[in-house]
Amino acid sequence: MSSVEVSRATEFSLSISEIAPDKSISHRSAMFSMLANGTSEIKNFLRAEDTMNSLEIVRNLGATIEDDGVTIKISSNGIQEPSEILDCGNSGTGIRLFCGLLSSANGHFVLTGDKYLRHRPMKRVTNPLRDIGAKLDGRNDGDLAPLSIRGASLKAFNYESKIASAQVKSCMILAALHADGVCTYSEPELSRDHTERMLKGMGADLHVDGLKTTIKPMKELLSPLNIRVPADPSSAFFFAVAAAITPDSNVTLEGVTLNSTRIEAFKALERMGADIRYEQIDNKYEPIGNIHVKYAPLKAITVEDNISWLIDELPALSIAFACADGVSIVKNAEELRVKESDRISTVVNGLNACGITTTEYEDGYTVTGGKLSKASVDSHGDHRIAMSFIIAGLRCGMNVTDLECINTSFPNFFELLQKITKVEFK
Ligand code: S3P
């Protein structure tokens, strides 16, 4: 499966209960189970490459994993030195959070990933960890994987991060749990807060006050997790855009986390004119519910605040921009340049190939709504770029190449897409 041809869609009405489980929460469920004093039980764990790599790493670190296909049970007797190199595949979340988890563990650990991950910046975690005594190294003075870690004692810290990054925050919170005193971490804007919610739920002594989190070191192991992972709003969003750009269509996305740090892209789509309704049905660690999205003519917007709340959805949102009336603007989004691809250039170049006018800036871009035309777009190994341009194809037909990456986050994407349109693999 190296390329796909998708056809234009006509009106559809769909309720989807099989959106991929949340990637961020699945990674954390596997990792945090290593901090518990008993068996954690995880239902609806994301069975995609990124998160299965994290689960395999947890196994290599000595955890016992039982999996009956429905519930994954993880028990740990503390982190053991692995005989294997720990391969995070394509996942920035995997490698950066494991850095925090392993910096204080007894032993030597080597973390690596695929060719894309090995080019992504790691100093954002290795620098603050080294400042508190962690023994970490990697290529380019600790900026590029493979990274090696020799567990060490960590000093208490007060760290003010310059970037709103949940990966950096989570890495430092995990380090703080084993530091020699009370630690604080603050960030310029609130990033996704699954780590804080889940660790608090497990009994960690962690206090969040606005943008500042205070963490007391663990005196004893935490309570096991017992969680059903909700659907991933970042994956659900592809189908929200599909409904929002296909006249007379609507979709219900079932069982999605409604955590406000994760649904900002739906709010943006709402500001563009789409008809969106949220229906909360549960609240465990996070509010969870259904999101109903209905087509309406879209108008351009500017996106410049709380960028980390929709950073992963900007490629798909940009397809909605291309179908809207007017010029949409994205600002303060320089972080897009260091994602699975340089998403400012992959989005802008992909849209240009489809006949859409754009302007590129260092920290963002503009998209002038117009008529999308069928093109051939390469994903550059980036799952969100691949799925975004496939969704664009619902308007005009599209050929998208380099599709394997979709398995990192949404293995059943095509199965669901086939409910809307014709999909042909080449
Ligand atoms: C994630 C945090 C975000 C996001 C990524 C998942 C997480 O990255 O883009 O897909 O699970 O913590 P940053 O922390 O680099 O912003």
Side-chain angles (χ1 to χ4, degrees):
M1 176 179 74
S2 62
S3 84
V4 71
E5 180 106 14
V6 283
S7 306
R8 224 174 139 261
T10 50
E11 62 179 74
F12 65 89
S13 174
L14 208 59
S15 191
I16 310 181
S17 60
E18 309 96 340
I19 293 290
D22 193 76
K23 185 144 77 83
S24 293
I25 298 174
S26 295
H27 278 300
R28 286 163 173 79
S29 304
M31 292 179 196
F32 298 175
S33 298
M34 305 243 25
L35 301 170
N37 60 6
T39 304
S40 290
E41 298 203 3
I42 307 154
K43 288 199 163 57
N44 206 34
F45 184 85
L46 173 62
R47 291 169 193 273
E49 279 171 12
D50 274 11
T51 45
M52 292 312 276
N53 282 329
S54 281
L55 194 63
E56 189 53 27
I57 290 175
V58 163
R59 193 196 304 276
N60 280 323
L61 293 171
T64 306
I65 300 173
E66 284 172 57
D67 181 0
D68 65 6
V70 177
T71 307
I72 296 183
K73 294 184 182 173
I74 305 179
S75 335
S76 158
N77 263 330
I79 295 170
Q80 314 294 319
E81 188 174 59
S83 55
E84 303 283 338
I85 287 175
L86 307 173
D87 188 354
C88 299
N90 189 246
S91 177
T93 305
I95 198 164
R96 294 187 179 121
L97 270 63
F98 275 120
C99 282
L101 187 73
L102 297 176
S103 279
S104 62
N106 235 330
H108 175 248
F109 310 89
V110 179
L111 290 160
T112 192
D114 67 11
K115 64 179 179 187
Y116 302 103
L117 187 61
R118 280 184 272 117
H119 281 93
R120 293 180 64 190
M122 295 299 144
K123 272 203 173 155
R124 54 183 58 203
V125 293
T126 56
N127 274 351
L129 285 171
R130 281 166 160 182
D131 286 346
I132 60 170
K135 295 201 169 74
L136 252 105
D137 213 342
R139 289 181 301 135
N140 238 0
D141 189 24
D143 197 31
L144 297 177
L147 301 175
S148 73
I149 303 174
R150 159 76 53 196
S153 346
L154 304 181
K155 296 191 289 268
F157 61 85
N158 298 301
Y159 186 65
E160 286 178 27
S161 174
K162 298 222 164 23
I163 44 175
S165 160
Q167 293 176 358
V168 178
K169 175 172 62 176
S170 304
C171 166
M172 294 308 287
I173 290 176
L174 289 169
L177 291 176
H178 291 106
D180 67 3
V182 178
C183 300
T184 64
Y185 181 93
S186 43
E187 54 186 344
E189 275 184 345
L190 186 66
S191 61
R192 69 187 66 187
D193 61 356
H194 307 298
T195 294
E196 298 89 306
R197 288 169 182 265
M198 292 170 71
L199 289 176
K200 260 185 113 159
M202 295 172 76
D205 196 340
L206 187 145
H207 177 74
V208 181
D209 183 12
L211 301 175
K212 183 168 162 185
T213 305
T214 304
I215 313 106
K216 289 198 184 146
M218 272 165 62
K219 289 204 196 77
E220 52 193 25
L221 290 170
L222 306 178
S223 311
L225 272 168
N226 186 336
I227 191 169
R228 180 181 167 80
V229 179
D232 194 321
S234 306
S235 296
F237 193 65
F238 294 110
F239 289 93
V241 172
I245 65 170
T246 309
D248 303 320
S249 297
N250 68 80
V251 69
T252 295
L253 305 156
E254 297 179 23
V256 181
T257 172
L258 300 180
N259 181 326
S260 57
T261 64
R262 296 296 304 282
I263 57 166
E264 188 69 8
F266 292 87
K267 306 271 172 184
L269 202 53
E270 223 179 323
R271 279 202 286 135
M272 294 178 74
D275 180 351
I276 304 194
R277 201 162 51 78
Y278 309 85
E279 177 200 0
Q280 188 175 325
I281 50 177
D282 200 1
N283 197 341
K284 186 158 188 216
Y285 301 103
E286 317 247 331
I288 295 164
N290 301 331
I291 305 181
H292 306 271
V293 183
K294 229 192 223 172
Y295 169 84
L298 300 177
K299 57 180 190 297
I301 56 165
T302 294
V303 176
E304 56 187 335
D305 299 320
N306 287 326
I307 290 293
S308 72
W309 292 10
L310 47 58
I311 193 90
D312 290 343
E313 295 78 35
L314 277 170
L317 189 62
S318 302
I319 303 304
F321 293 163
C323 301
D325 186 23
V327 182
S328 291
I329 305 171
V330 176
K331 292 182 187 168
N332 305 324
E334 52 281 293
E335 275 294 300
L336 282 176
R337 295 217 179 261
V338 290
K339 292 294 175 188
E340 286 84 329
S341 66
D342 172 346
R343 286 187 179 156
I344 294 185
S345 84
T346 44
V347 164
V348 158
N349 293 338
L351 287 175
N352 291 346
C354 302
I356 296 294
T357 304
T358 60
T359 323
E360 179 171 346
Y361 303 103
E362 198 39 44
D363 71 335
Y365 51 96
T366 67
V367 178
T368 305
K371 191 175 175 316
L372 273 165
S373 314
K374 182 174 178 180
S376 183
V377 176
D378 189 87
S379 73
H380 295 270
D382 185 334
H383 56 138
R384 301 212 193 278
I385 296 299
M387 290 184 275
S388 297
F389 282 93
I390 289 169
I391 293 299
L394 299 178
R395 270 296 258 250
C396 53
M398 193 71 68
N399 183 257
V400 178
T401 58
D402 196 355
L403 303 172
E404 291 303 323
C405 50
I406 293 175
N407 289 327
T408 61
S409 66
F410 203 165
N412 61 334
F413 173 74
F414 286 114
E415 217 174 282
L416 299 177
L417 189 73
Q418 273 161 342
K419 298 184 182 198
I420 299 179
T421 195
K422 195 165 131 224
V423 176
E424 256 183 284
F425 297 104
K426 306 260 156 138

